[in-house]
Amino acid sequence: MEKSDLIKRAEDLRSRCERRGCITCTAFLTPAEQYELNGCGAVFAGGSDTAERKIAFFLPDYIDTSEFDLAEYISAVKIQSYFGTPGHRDYLGSIIGLGIKRECIGDISVIGDCAYVYCLPSIKKSILNDLSRVGRISVKTAEIALDEVPAEERKVKTMTFTVKSLRLDAVTGDLFRISRETANGAVKAGLVSLNYSVCLKADFQIKENDVISFRGKGKGKIMEVGGKTKKDRMFVTAEVYV
């Protein structure tokens, strides 16, 4: 199978890191792109522990993950809105409207009348100097330290259920409280993603740490698979984002 451009790029960055003994990195990656690079030897960071968009770092042997300054590679900008409360899409659209590429922007956390944006240092000044409005709403920008960004609260619900098999449609059905027949149709319709990529195979076997997303219904992560009932059904423990 031919390697994707992303994997080729990662291999080039890793090779350059090894040859020159310096840190190399990508821009911000989507969760699907991060999953694609699993096993390539990269360290992922997005500015916070809960960040979804992250940068893949390749570190020389002499540098430990706790020894390099993340602030050299990721900046944080606070955007204060006045007389209105724009949403995530509004902030993202206004920043991209400045001519900034999407991969230069990490997570955007909207809390009340403020938004907190992770970005590459190279485009930080553009946001600080040029972003004065989000839609029709006036805003004021300021650079802040990474550790000054408020933690975004994410609520999850832990649930345990049993399945006859670990097929994608079976697990999806119990995870989102719908019939297996409905789940099977959703998979075939391209509404279900496995590890952030659409999966059309209803019989694909699910394993621990897999992430299942159902368009319009939510997302869940398989935390544990183990043990069987007297009727030979398997126990599955999952976390669902609520």
Side-chain angles (χ1 to χ4, degrees), residues 78-146:
K78 177 182 177 181
I79 306 175
Q80 171 77 56
S81 65
Y82 296 93
F83 308 111
T85 53
H88 180 281
R89 185 176 297 180
D90 301 312
Y91 285 107
L92 177 60
S94 294
I95 294 172
I96 289 178
L98 299 176
I100 296 172
K101 294 182 178 180
R102 182 63 181 94
E103 58 266 30
C104 296
I105 310 164
D107 280 14
I108 300 176
S109 176
V110 181
I111 303 176
D113 58 1
C114 291
Y116 301 87
V117 182
Y118 293 108
C119 65
L120 297 183
S122 58
I123 58 97
K124 174 184 62 181
K125 285 187 177 180
S126 181
I127 297 176
L128 292 172
N129 297 335
D130 301 332
L131 186 67
S132 59
R133 301 183 72 85
V134 173
R136 296 180 178 181
I137 299 172
S138 297
V139 298
K140 182 178 180 180
T141 60
E143 182 180 4
I144 61 174
L146 295 179

Coordinates of all heavy atoms in Angstrom, one line a residue, residues 78-146:
K78 N -6.0 35.3 23.7 CA -7.4 35.5 24.3 C -8.1 36.5 23.4 O -7.6 37.6 23.1 CB -7.3 35.9 25.7 CG -8.6 36.3 26.4 CD -8.4 36.8 27.8 CE -9.7 37.1 28.4 NZ -9.5 37.7 29.8
I79 N -9.3 36.2 23.0 CA -10.2 37.1 22.3 C -11.4 37.5 23.1 O -12.2 36.6 23.4 CB -10.6 36.5 20.9 CG1 -9.4 36.0 20.1 CG2 -11.4 37.5 20.1 CD1 -9.7 35.3 18.9
Q80 N -11.5 38.7 23.5 CA -12.6 39.2 24.3 C -13.6 39.9 23.4 O -13.3 40.8 22.6 CB -12.1 40.3 25.3 CG -13.2 41.0 26.1 CD -13.8 40.2 27.2 OE1 -13.1 39.7 28.0 NE2 -15.1 40.0 27.1
S81 N -14.9 39.4 23.4 CA -15.9 40.0 22.6 C -16.7 41.0 23.4 O -16.8 40.9 24.6 CB -16.9 38.9 22.0 OG -17.6 38.3 23.1
Y82 N -17.3 42.0 22.7 CA -18.1 43.0 23.3 C -19.5 43.1 22.7 O -19.6 43.1 21.5 CB -17.4 44.4 23.2 CG -16.1 44.4 23.9 CD1 -14.9 44.1 23.3 CD2 -16.0 44.7 25.3 CE1 -13.7 44.2 23.9 CE2 -14.8 44.8 26.0 CZ -13.7 44.5 25.3 OH -12.4 44.5 26.0
F83 N -20.5 43.1 23.5 CA -21.9 43.2 23.0 C -22.3 42.1 22.1 O -23.0 42.3 21.1 CB -22.1 44.6 22.3 CG -21.6 45.7 23.1 CD1 -20.5 46.5 22.7 CD2 -22.2 46.1 24.3 CE1 -20.0 47.5 23.5 CE2 -21.8 47.2 25.1 CZ -20.7 47.9 24.6
G84 N -21.9 40.9 22.5 CA -22.3 39.7 21.7 C -21.4 38.5 22.1 O -20.4 38.7 22.7
T85 N -21.9 37.3 21.7 CA -21.2 36.1 22.1 C -21.0 35.2 20.9 O -21.9 34.4 20.6 CB -21.9 35.3 23.2 OG1 -23.2 35.1 22.8 CG2 -21.8 36.1 24.5
P86 N -20.0 35.4 20.0 CA -19.8 34.6 18.9 C -19.6 33.2 19.3 O -19.1 32.9 20.4 CB -18.6 35.2 18.2 CG -18.4 36.6 18.8 CD -19.0 36.5 20.2
G87 N -19.8 32.3 18.3 CA -19.5 30.8 18.5 C -18.2 30.4 17.9 O -17.5 31.2 17.3
H88 N -17.9 29.1 18.1 CA -16.6 28.6 17.6 C -16.5 28.8 16.1 O -15.4 29.3 15.7 CB -16.6 27.1 17.9 CG -15.3 26.4 17.5 ND1 -15.1 26.0 16.2 CD2 -14.2 26.0 18.1 CE1 -14.0 25.4 16.0 NE2 -13.4 25.4 17.2
R89 N -17.5 28.6 15.4 CA -17.4 28.7 13.9 C -17.2 30.2 13.5 O -16.5 30.5 12.6 CB -18.7 28.2 13.3 CG -18.7 28.2 11.8 CD -20.0 27.6 11.2 NE -20.1 26.2 11.6 CZ -21.2 25.5 11.2 NH1 -22.1 26.0 10.5 NH2 -21.2 24.2 11.6
D90 N -17.8 31.1 14.3 CA -17.6 32.5 14.0 C -16.1 32.9 14.2 O -15.5 33.6 13.4 CB -18.5 33.4 14.9 CG -19.9 33.1 14.8 OD1 -20.4 33.0 13.6 OD2 -20.6 32.9 15.8
Y91 N -15.5 32.5 15.3 CA -14.1 32.8 15.6 C -13.2 32.2 14.5 O -12.3 32.9 14.0 CB -13.7 32.3 17.0 CG -14.2 33.2 18.1 CD1 -15.3 32.7 18.9 CD2 -13.7 34.4 18.4 CE1 -15.8 33.5 19.9 CE2 -14.2 35.2 19.4 CZ -15.2 34.7 20.2 OH -15.7 35.5 21.2
L92 N -13.5 30.9 14.2 CA -12.6 30.2 13.2 C -12.7 30.9 11.9 O -11.7 31.2 11.2 CB -13.0 28.8 13.1 CG -12.3 27.9 12.1 CD1 -10.8 27.9 12.4 CD2 -12.8 26.5 12.1
G93 N -13.9 31.2 11.5 CA -14.1 31.9 10.2 C -13.4 33.2 10.1 O -12.8 33.6 9.0
S94 N -13.5 34.0 11.1 CA -12.8 35.3 11.1 C -11.3 35.2 11.1 O -10.6 36.0 10.4 CB -13.3 36.1 12.4 OG -14.7 36.4 12.3
I95 N -10.8 34.2 11.8 CA -9.3 34.1 11.8 C -8.8 33.6 10.4 O -7.9 34.1 9.9 CB -8.9 33.1 12.9 CG1 -9.2 33.7 14.3 CG2 -7.4 32.7 12.8 CD1 -9.0 32.7 15.4
I96 N -9.6 32.6 9.8 CA -9.2 32.2 8.5 C -9.4 33.3 7.5 O -8.6 33.4 6.5 CB -10.1 30.9 8.1 CG1 -9.6 29.7 9.0 CG2 -9.9 30.6 6.6 CD1 -10.4 28.5 8.7
G97 N -10.3 34.2 7.7 CA -10.5 35.3 6.9 C -9.4 36.3 6.8 O -9.3 37.1 5.9
L98 N -8.5 36.2 7.8 CA -7.2 37.0 7.8 C -6.2 36.4 6.8 O -5.1 37.0 6.6 CB -6.6 37.0 9.2 CG -7.5 37.7 10.3 CD1 -6.8 37.6 11.6 CD2 -7.8 39.1 9.9
G99 N -6.5 35.3 6.2 CA -5.6 34.6 5.3 C -4.7 33.6 6.0 O -3.7 33.1 5.4
I100 N -5.1 33.2 7.1 CA -4.4 32.2 7.9 C -4.9 30.8 7.6 O -6.1 30.5 7.5 CB -4.6 32.4 9.4 CG1 -3.9 33.8 9.8 CG2 -4.0 31.3 10.3 CD1 -4.2 34.2 11.2
K101 N -4.0 29.8 7.3 CA -4.4 28.5 7.0 C -4.9 27.7 8.2 O -4.5 28.0 9.3 CB -3.2 27.7 6.4 CG -2.7 28.3 5.1 CD -1.6 27.4 4.5 CE -1.1 28.0 3.2 NZ 0.0 27.2 2.6
R102 N -5.8 26.8 8.0 CA -6.4 26.1 9.1 C -5.4 25.3 9.9 O -5.6 25.2 11.1 CB -7.5 25.1 8.5 CG -8.2 24.3 9.7 CD -9.0 25.2 10.5 NE -9.7 24.6 11.6 CZ -9.3 24.5 12.9 NH1 -8.0 24.9 13.1 NH2 -10.0 23.9 13.8
E103 N -4.4 24.7 9.3 CA -3.4 23.9 10.0 C -2.5 24.8 11.0 O -1.8 24.2 11.8 CB -2.6 23.1 9.1 CG -1.8 23.9 8.1 CD -2.5 24.1 6.7 OE1 -3.7 24.1 6.7 OE2 -1.8 24.2 5.7
C104 N -2.6 26.1 10.8 CA -1.9 26.9 11.7 C -2.6 27.2 13.0 O -2.1 27.9 14.0 CB -1.5 28.3 11.1 SG -0.5 28.1 9.6
I105 N -3.9 26.8 13.1 CA -4.7 27.0 14.2 C -5.1 25.7 15.0 O -5.5 24.7 14.3 CB -6.0 27.7 13.8 CG1 -5.8 28.9 12.9 CG2 -6.9 28.1 15.0 CD1 -7.0 29.4 12.1
G106 N -4.9 25.7 16.3 CA -5.3 24.5 17.0 C -6.7 24.6 17.6 O -7.6 25.2 16.9
D107 N -6.9 24.2 18.8 CA -8.2 24.3 19.3 C -8.7 25.7 19.6 O -7.8 26.5 20.0 CB -8.3 23.5 20.6 CG -8.4 22.0 20.4 OD1 -8.2 21.5 19.3 OD2 -8.7 21.3 21.4
I108 N -9.9 26.0 19.5 CA -10.5 27.2 19.9 C -11.5 26.9 21.0 O -12.5 26.2 20.8 CB -11.2 28.0 18.8 CG1 -10.2 28.2 17.7 CG2 -11.9 29.2 19.2 CD1 -10.8 28.9 16.4
S109 N -11.3 27.4 22.2 CA -12.2 27.2 23.3 C -13.0 28.4 23.6 O -12.4 29.5 23.9 CB -11.4 26.8 24.6 OG -12.2 26.6 25.7
V110 N -14.3 28.3 23.5 CA -15.2 29.5 23.8 C -15.8 29.4 25.1 O -16.5 28.4 25.4 CB -16.3 29.6 22.7 CG1 -17.2 30.8 23.0 CG2 -15.7 29.7 21.3
I111 N -15.5 30.3 26.0 CA -16.0 30.3 27.4 C -16.6 31.7 27.7 O -15.9 32.7 27.8 CB -14.9 30.0 28.4 CG1 -14.3 28.6 28.1 CG2 -15.5 30.0 29.8 CD1 -13.1 28.3 29.0
G112 N -18.0 31.7 27.7 CA -18.6 33.0 27.9 C -18.4 34.0 26.8 O -18.6 33.6 25.6
D113 N -17.9 35.2 27.1 CA -17.7 36.2 26.1 C -16.2 36.2 25.6 O -15.8 37.2 25.0 CB -18.1 37.5 26.6 CG -17.4 38.0 27.9 OD1 -16.6 37.2 28.3 OD2 -17.7 39.1 28.4
C114 N -15.5 35.1 25.9 CA -14.1 35.0 25.5 C -13.8 33.8 24.7 O -14.5 32.7 24.9 CB -13.2 35.1 26.7 SG -13.1 36.6 27.6
A115 N -12.9 33.9 23.8 CA -12.4 32.7 23.1 C -10.9 32.6 23.3 O -10.2 33.6 23.4 CB -12.7 32.8 21.6
Y116 N -10.4 31.4 23.5 CA -9.0 31.1 23.7 C -8.5 30.3 22.5 O -9.0 29.2 22.3 CB -8.8 30.4 25.0 CG -9.3 31.2 26.2 CD1 -10.6 31.1 26.6 CD2 -8.4 32.1 26.8 CE1 -11.1 31.9 27.7 CE2 -8.9 32.9 27.9 CZ -10.2 32.8 28.3 OH -10.7 33.6 29.3
V117 N -7.5 30.8 21.8 CA -7.1 30.2 20.6 C -5.6 29.7 20.7 O -4.7 30.5 21.0 CB -7.2 31.2 19.4 CG1 -6.8 30.5 18.1 CG2 -8.6 31.7 19.3
Y118 N -5.4 28.5 20.4 CA -4.0 28.0 20.2 C -3.6 28.1 18.8 O -4.4 27.8 17.9 CB -3.9 26.5 20.7 CG -4.2 26.2 22.1 CD1 -5.4 25.6 22.5 CD2 -3.3 26.6 23.1 CE1 -5.6 25.4 23.9 CE2 -3.5 26.4 24.4 CZ -4.7 25.8 24.8 OH -4.9 25.6 26.2
C119 N -2.4 28.6 18.6 CA -1.9 28.8 17.2 C -0.4 28.7 17.1 O 0.3 28.6 18.1 CB -2.4 30.2 16.7 SG -1.6 31.6 17.6
L120 N 0.1 28.6 15.9 CA 1.5 28.7 15.7 C 2.0 30.1 16.0 O 1.4 31.1 15.6 CB 1.9 28.3 14.2 CG 1.5 26.9 13.8 CD1 1.9 26.6 12.4 CD2 2.0 25.8 14.7
P121 N 3.2 30.2 16.6 CA 3.8 31.5 16.9 C 3.9 32.4 15.6 O 3.8 33.6 15.7 CB 5.2 31.2 17.5 CG 5.0 29.8 18.1 CD 4.0 29.1 17.1
S122 N 4.1 31.7 14.5 CA 4.3 32.5 13.2 C 3.1 33.3 12.8 O 3.2 34.3 12.0 CB 4.7 31.6 12.1 OG 3.7 30.6 11.9
I123 N 1.9 33.0 13.3 CA 0.7 33.7 12.8 C 0.1 34.4 14.0 O -1.0 35.1 13.9 CB -0.3 32.8 12.2 CG1 -0.7 31.6 13.1 CG2 0.2 32.2 10.9 CD1 -2.0 31.8 13.8
K124 N 0.7 34.4 15.2 CA 0.2 35.0 16.4 C 0.0 36.5 16.1 O -1.0 37.1 16.5 CB 1.1 34.8 17.5 CG 0.8 35.5 18.8 CD 1.9 35.3 19.9 CE 3.2 35.7 19.4 NZ 4.3 35.5 20.4
K125 N 1.0 37.2 15.6 CA 1.0 38.6 15.4 C -0.2 39.1 14.5 O -0.8 40.1 14.7 CB 2.3 39.2 14.9 CG 3.4 39.2 15.9 CD 4.6 39.9 15.3 CE 5.7 40.0 16.4 NZ 6.9 40.7 15.9
S126 N -0.5 38.2 13.5 CA -1.6 38.5 12.6 C -2.9 38.6 13.3 O -3.7 39.5 13.1 CB -1.6 37.5 11.5 OG -2.7 37.8 10.6
I127 N -3.1 37.6 14.2 CA -4.3 37.6 15.0 C -4.4 38.8 16.0 O -5.4 39.5 16.1 CB -4.5 36.3 15.8 CG1 -4.6 35.1 14.9 CG2 -5.7 36.3 16.7 CD1 -4.6 33.7 15.6
L128 N -3.3 39.0 16.6 CA -3.2 40.1 17.6 C -3.4 41.5 17.0 O -4.0 42.4 17.5 CB -1.9 40.1 18.3 CG -1.6 38.9 19.3 CD1 -0.2 38.9 19.8 CD2 -2.6 39.0 20.5
N129 N -2.8 41.7 15.8 CA -2.8 43.0 15.1 C -4.0 43.2 14.2 O -4.4 44.4 14.0 CB -1.5 43.2 14.4 CG -0.3 43.3 15.3 OD1 -0.4 43.6 16.4 ND2 0.9 42.9 14.7
D130 N -4.5 42.2 13.6 CA -5.5 42.4 12.5 C -6.9 41.9 12.9 O -7.9 42.3 12.1 CB -5.1 41.6 11.3 CG -3.7 42.0 10.8 OD1 -3.3 43.2 11.0 OD2 -3.0 41.2 10.2
L131 N -7.1 41.2 13.9 CA -8.4 40.7 14.3 C -9.1 41.7 15.2 O -8.8 41.8 16.4 CB -8.4 39.3 14.9 CG -9.8 38.7 15.2 CD1 -10.5 38.4 13.9 CD2 -9.6 37.4 16.0
S132 N -10.0 42.5 14.7 CA -10.7 43.5 15.5 C -12.2 43.2 15.5 O -12.9 43.8 16.4 CB -10.5 44.9 14.9 OG -11.0 45.0 13.6
R133 N -12.7 42.3 14.7 CA -14.1 42.0 14.6 C -14.3 40.5 14.3 O -13.6 39.9 13.6 CB -14.9 42.8 13.6 CG -14.8 44.3 13.8 CD -15.7 45.1 12.8 NE -17.1 44.9 13.1 CZ -17.8 45.7 13.9 NH1 -17.1 46.7 14.6 NH2 -19.0 45.5 14.1
V134 N -15.3 39.9 15.0 CA -15.7 38.6 14.6 C -17.2 38.7 14.2 O -18.1 38.9 15.0 CB -15.6 37.6 15.9 CG1 -16.2 36.3 15.6 CG2 -14.2 37.5 16.3
G135 N -17.4 38.6 12.9 CA -18.7 38.9 12.3 C -18.9 40.4 12.5 O -18.1 41.2 12.1
R136 N -20.0 40.7 13.1 CA -20.3 42.2 13.4 C -19.9 42.6 14.8 O -20.2 43.7 15.2 CB -21.8 42.4 13.1 CG -22.2 42.2 11.7 CD -23.7 42.4 11.5 NE -24.1 42.2 10.2 CZ -25.4 42.4 9.8 NH1 -26.3 42.8 10.6 NH2 -25.7 42.2 8.5
I137 N -19.3 41.7 15.5 CA -19.0 42.0 16.9 C -17.6 42.4 17.1 O -16.6 41.8 16.6 CB -19.3 40.7 17.8 CG1 -20.8 40.3 17.6 CG2 -18.9 40.9 19.2 CD1 -21.1 39.0 18.3
S138 N -17.4 43.5 17.8 CA -16.0 44.0 18.1 C -15.3 43.1 19.1 O -16.0 42.6 20.1 CB -16.1 45.4 18.7 OG -16.7 46.3 17.7
V139 N -14.0 42.9 18.9 CA -13.3 42.1 19.8 C -11.9 42.7 20.1 O -11.5 43.6 19.4 CB -13.0 40.6 19.2 CG1 -14.3 39.9 19.0 CG2 -12.2 40.7 18.0
K140 N -11.3 42.3 21.2 CA -10.0 42.7 21.6 C -9.2 41.5 21.9 O -9.6 40.6 22.5 CB -10.1 43.6 22.9 CG -8.7 44.2 23.3 CD -8.9 45.1 24.5 CE -7.6 45.6 25.0 NZ -7.7 46.5 26.2
T141 N -7.9 41.5 21.4 CA -7.1 40.4 21.5 C -5.9 40.6 22.4 O -5.5 41.8 22.6 CB -6.5 40.0 20.1 OG1 -5.8 41.1 19.5 CG2 -7.6 39.6 19.1
A142 N -5.4 39.6 23.0 CA -4.2 39.7 23.9 C -3.5 38.3 24.0 O -4.2 37.3 24.0 CB -4.6 40.1 25.3
E143 N -2.2 38.4 24.0 CA -1.5 37.1 24.1 C -1.4 36.7 25.6 O -1.3 37.6 26.5 CB 0.0 37.3 23.6 CG 0.8 36.0 23.7 CD 2.2 36.2 23.2 OE1 2.6 37.3 22.9 OE2 2.9 35.1 23.2
I144 N -1.6 35.4 25.8 CA -1.5 34.9 27.2 C -0.7 33.7 27.2 O -0.4 33.0 26.2 CB -2.9 34.6 27.8 CG1 -3.6 33.5 26.9 CG2 -3.8 35.8 27.9 CD1 -4.9 33.0 27.5
A145 N -0.2 33.3 28.4 CA 0.7 32.1 28.5 C -0.2 30.9 28.4 O -1.4 30.9 28.7 CB 1.3 32.1 29.9
L146 N 0.4 29.8 28.0 CA -0.4 28.5 27.8 C -1.1 28.1 29.1 O -2.2 27.6 29.1 CB 0.5 27.4 27.3 CG 1.1 27.6 25.9 CD1 2.0 26.4 25.6 CD2 0.1 27.8 24.9

